[in-house]
Each structure stands twice: as C-alpha cells, then as structure tokens.
Amino acid sequence: LRAKERGEAIPSRGEDQVQQTYEGQRHEGGLAASSASGLGSWTPEEQARLEAGMAELRSEKDVKKRWDSVALRVGGGKTARDCAERFRNVRAQAVNRGATDEKQPLRFAPPDRDELTALLPPPSAPAQARQHAAAPAMSAAEVRRVGVEVRLLGLVLEGLSTLLPNTLRMQVVCDRCKTPTEIESKGQGTDTRGVDIACPTCKQQMTVTVAPSICHGGCAAIAHVAGSGCHPVQLLRSDFEAVCGECTAAAAMCNAGPGFRRRGNCAACFAKTNIAIEGADVLGAGVARWRQVALEQGEHQTARKQLQDAKRREKELGIKVGQPLPYQGACKHFQKSYKWLRFPCCGRAVPCNECHDEQTDHPYEWATRMLCGYCSFEQLCNKDKCGNCGAATTRARTTYWEGGEGCRNRTLMSKNDTHKYRGLGKCVSSNAAAKSSAK
C-alpha cells in the first residue's frame, strides 16, 4: 500500500509463484475455509469428497454438468453453487495469500493453471503467442562467423555518437515450407539474444540468434544474425538507442528503418541532433535467393487472400454454382455476353474489363478464367459453350463482324457494323476491269 502511495510499480506474481504459495500454505495447513454467508460449514469429509470429485471430473467440458456432478458426490445438502463458491474463495486465498478467520484446515486439490491464469492481472506488455525469448544457442563470435550481416545504408549521425538496436525486427523464411514470417528480438547492450518461433504454416521450430553491434559513423553494421531452420532476408522497422555525442545521454529511436529521418535536441544538454537512414541491407551467402523466395511466397499469399476475399464477396451477393448470375452475366457495356471474367490482378469476378476499371482502383490484367452466366460454374475462358450446363457464353447468332469470327455475309450483317459497306465505293482501275471482263 505504501509502494502504491509512492507511485512505485507493484510487480505481479506469476503462475509459478501462486502455485508455490498454494503448495506451501496447503502443506502448513494455512488455507482456511471460506466464511461466506449462505455456504455453511465444511467438514473434513466433505472437503475430501469435494477434492475427489474435482480431480475425477477435471476433464469435463460442460461447466454446469461438472459442478452438478461434484455436488452429487459431496452430498450433505451442498448445491452446485455452494461447491463453486467454495472453490472460488479458496482459489482467491491462494492468489492473494489471504486467510479467513476460521481455523479449519483445507485438503483441496490445487486449481488448474489455466484457471489461475484467468485470475492473474494482465501483464504490462502483451505477450506474443508464437515466439518467445530463449537462451542463445551460439556465441557472438560464432554468429558473426556463420550468420549474415545487417547493415544500414546512407546512415547520417549528427550530434550522435553511436546507435545500438534494442528491439530488432526481421523477416525470415522457413526452410521447409518457404513461408516468410517476422521475428522480434529484444535485449539490452551487445549481449547475444535468442528467439524461438514456430512456423505459422508447417509448425517447424525456428531459432534466430542475434549478436548486436554498436553502429557509428565508421561502421554501419548493426547486428549479425544466424538462423536455425530459417533464413533472415530483410530488416524491418526496429527500435534503437542513440547516444548523444556531447553528454552521452541515451535517447530512444522507435520504428527506425529505411526512410527514417529525425531532427531534434538532446534532452540532457540540448545539443542539436540529426539522424537519417536511407535504406537497409542484409549481406551473406544465399540471402538474394531466399529473398526472392520470400517475394514470390508473399505474392502467392497476397493473391490467395485476394481470391478468398473475392469469393467471400460473391457469397454475400448470393452467387453459387447452379444458379444464374445477375442479368445472366450481361452488363451495360456488353449486353450479349453471358459470363463474368475473373481477373488475376485482384481475384474479383466482374462482367467485363470496363466494369473492373470502374469498380477498382487499378488497371485490369488479362483474365484467363470465367463464370458462366447461366450456372455460375467457374472454368477457363472460351468462346464455346459452358462445360457444365452447355449454354452459350455469347449470343449464338450475331449480325456483327466480330473480328471475322461473326457474320461475314454483307446482306445479313447489321447496318451499324462498318464492315457492311467497307470497300463498296472503291474505284477499280481499267486494267483490273479489263482483266475481269476478259475472264
């Protein structure tokens, strides 16, 4: 309470501390029964039956059914609510190191770690579920020998003497499935750091060891990185600690990366400072090849996500196989085209390229797949009948030229087609007329 009045931070106790506290109090018989009104007294026999019932029904998923079964095993008029309140009060004693006025000893199975975690206060920073810090697998000399070098390009340090990475974020590529992912290594100073992370696709264990370096005007290298089960390919925006060249005071530079620029003054001596980073590069054997792999996999993931979003949008519109498209796939630009085209640039299916440019913010790419306007079946683009329902994707009989594949008879051709009257007013030379009359 005095620490709270002084404004000092009170450290939270973790799961292991709570478990140790509970075991110690249980061994000494220090945990007492709850004196909540309406629960009544608990005899040692009821405590034993409650403990046995909780241990036996620990795997029951239905909470209501579990407490009803526990109350039946305890007996003595205890209801499911009484058993739950008993468990809740005892658990609060284990977490808060409290004790009630009653001196009745408790013989109770320790609560689940998941249940204790639910009662603990949230941590000061959100924990990452997919990665955690680990002891470095290699020394700094080994990392510099076998790892890759991370270097800043076009670094400008004015009024600052050194730059040291506190939180280094990088993109790595999995050895097995070639999936790119991001890692984050936190630490202080130049001590070697290790990070363990599971691949989000194939769940392969990947370990990254980072050996930070002090970056200054004569050396732009900020770290050496070695990966086990993965390959570092790119530096992402990271957090650095910059030291003033006048008073050696440290200042935080958050989210610094390619294109980062900041002018300011030292908070201690008010000296002018300026930092600029033009770019970043990763130097090492095989980095260029794995960077290309990461680029291709990133494009595949983007295309897959776009296709999923497009199909989700089509589902919301009520489009499914077996039912016709709106207006049988026709639009205001092509009223006799009974199909939708799926464009690979964004994965969307729209009636034509002009509709695509009107509905999106990017130019279309040549489509190779289409949806039939009569049955919504997706297939390769063709000018013939649908492969699912047999319906024609365009009007079967046309009166237009259509590049030579439509109507070629001038008599039947539409007067709106320029090919109907093309060449009729052309002058014929006398030599050609003589040759034609001689025949």
Coordinates of all heavy atoms in Angstrom, one line a residue, residues 164-168 185-193 210 212 239-241 250 252:
L164 N 22.5 1.7 -31.2 CA 22.5 0.3 -30.7 C 21.1 -0.2 -30.8 O 20.2 0.4 -30.3 CB 23.0 0.2 -29.3 CG 23.1 -1.2 -28.7 CD1 24.2 -2.0 -29.4 CD2 23.5 -1.2 -27.2
P165 N 20.9 -1.4 -31.4 CA 19.5 -1.9 -31.5 C 19.0 -2.5 -30.2 O 19.7 -3.3 -29.6 CB 19.6 -3.0 -32.6 CG 21.0 -3.4 -32.6 CD 21.8 -2.2 -32.2
N166 N 17.9 -2.0 -29.8 CA 17.2 -2.6 -28.6 C 16.2 -3.7 -29.0 O 16.2 -4.8 -28.4 CB 16.5 -1.6 -27.7 CG 17.5 -0.7 -27.0 OD1 18.6 -1.1 -26.7 ND2 17.1 0.4 -26.5
T167 N 15.4 -3.4 -30.0 CA 14.4 -4.4 -30.5 C 14.6 -4.5 -32.0 O 14.4 -3.5 -32.7 CB 13.0 -3.9 -30.2 OG1 12.8 -3.7 -28.8 CG2 12.0 -4.9 -30.7
L168 N 15.1 -5.7 -32.4 CA 15.4 -5.9 -33.8 C 14.3 -6.8 -34.4 O 14.1 -7.9 -33.9 CB 16.8 -6.6 -33.9 CG 17.4 -6.7 -35.3 CD1 17.8 -5.3 -35.8 CD2 18.6 -7.6 -35.4
S185 N 13.4 -9.6 -31.7 CA 14.4 -9.9 -30.7 C 14.6 -8.7 -29.8 O 15.0 -7.6 -30.3 CB 15.8 -10.3 -31.4 OG 16.8 -10.4 -30.4
K186 N 14.4 -8.8 -28.5 CA 14.6 -7.7 -27.6 C 15.7 -8.0 -26.7 O 16.0 -9.1 -26.3 CB 13.3 -7.6 -26.8 CG 12.1 -7.2 -27.6 CD 10.9 -6.9 -26.7 CE 9.6 -6.5 -27.5 NZ 8.5 -6.3 -26.6
G187 N 16.4 -6.9 -26.2 CA 17.5 -7.1 -25.3 C 18.2 -5.7 -25.1 O 17.8 -4.7 -25.7
Q188 N 19.1 -5.7 -24.2 CA 19.9 -4.5 -23.9 C 21.4 -4.8 -24.1 O 21.9 -5.9 -23.8 CB 19.6 -4.1 -22.4 CG 18.2 -3.7 -22.1 CD 17.8 -2.4 -22.7 OE1 18.6 -1.6 -23.0 NE2 16.5 -2.2 -22.9
G189 N 22.1 -3.8 -24.6 CA 23.5 -3.9 -24.7 C 23.8 -4.8 -25.9 O 23.1 -5.0 -26.8
T190 N 25.1 -5.3 -25.9 CA 25.6 -6.1 -27.0 C 25.6 -7.6 -26.7 O 26.2 -8.4 -27.4 CB 27.0 -5.7 -27.4 OG1 27.8 -5.8 -26.2 CG2 27.0 -4.2 -27.9
D191 N 24.8 -8.0 -25.7 CA 24.7 -9.4 -25.3 C 24.0 -10.2 -26.4 O 23.0 -9.7 -27.0 CB 24.0 -9.6 -24.0 CG 24.8 -9.0 -22.9 OD1 26.0 -8.9 -23.0 OD2 24.2 -8.6 -21.8
T192 N 24.4 -11.4 -26.7 CA 23.8 -12.2 -27.7 C 22.4 -12.6 -27.2 O 22.1 -13.0 -26.1 CB 24.6 -13.5 -28.0 OG1 25.9 -13.1 -28.3 CG2 24.0 -14.3 -29.1
R193 N 21.4 -12.6 -28.2 CA 20.0 -12.9 -27.9 C 19.5 -14.0 -28.7 O 20.0 -14.2 -29.8 CB 19.1 -11.6 -28.1 CG 19.7 -10.3 -27.6 CD 19.0 -9.1 -28.2 NE 19.7 -7.9 -27.9 CZ 19.4 -6.7 -28.5 NH1 18.4 -6.7 -29.4 NH2 20.1 -5.6 -28.2
V210 N 20.8 -13.4 -32.4 CA 21.2 -12.1 -32.8 C 22.4 -11.6 -32.0 O 22.4 -11.8 -30.7 CB 20.1 -11.1 -32.7 CG1 20.5 -9.7 -33.1 CG2 18.9 -11.6 -33.5
P212 N 24.1 -8.2 -31.5 CA 24.1 -6.8 -31.8 C 25.5 -6.1 -31.9 O 26.4 -6.6 -31.2 CB 23.3 -6.1 -30.7 CG 22.6 -7.3 -30.0 CD 23.5 -8.5 -30.2
D239 N 13.6 -0.7 -33.1 CA 13.9 0.3 -32.1 C 15.3 0.3 -31.8 O 16.0 -0.7 -31.5 CB 13.0 0.0 -30.9 CG 11.5 -0.1 -31.2 OD1 11.1 0.5 -32.2 OD2 10.8 -0.7 -30.4
F240 N 15.9 1.6 -31.7 CA 17.3 1.7 -31.4 C 17.5 2.7 -30.2 O 16.6 3.4 -29.8 CB 18.0 2.3 -32.6 CG 18.0 1.5 -33.8 CD1 16.9 1.5 -34.7 CD2 19.1 0.6 -34.1 CE1 16.9 0.7 -35.8 CE2 19.1 -0.2 -35.2 CZ 18.0 -0.2 -36.1
E241 N 18.7 2.6 -29.7 CA 19.1 3.5 -28.6 C 20.3 4.4 -29.1 O 21.3 3.9 -29.4 CB 19.5 2.7 -27.4 CG 20.0 3.6 -26.2 CD 20.5 2.8 -25.0 OE1 19.6 2.4 -24.2 OE2 21.7 2.6 -24.9
A250 N 21.4 8.8 -23.4 CA 20.7 7.9 -24.3 C 19.3 8.3 -24.7 O 18.6 8.9 -23.8 CB 20.7 6.5 -23.8
A252 N 15.7 7.1 -27.1 CA 15.1 6.0 -27.9 C 14.7 6.5 -29.2 O 14.1 7.6 -29.4 CB 13.9 5.5 -27.1

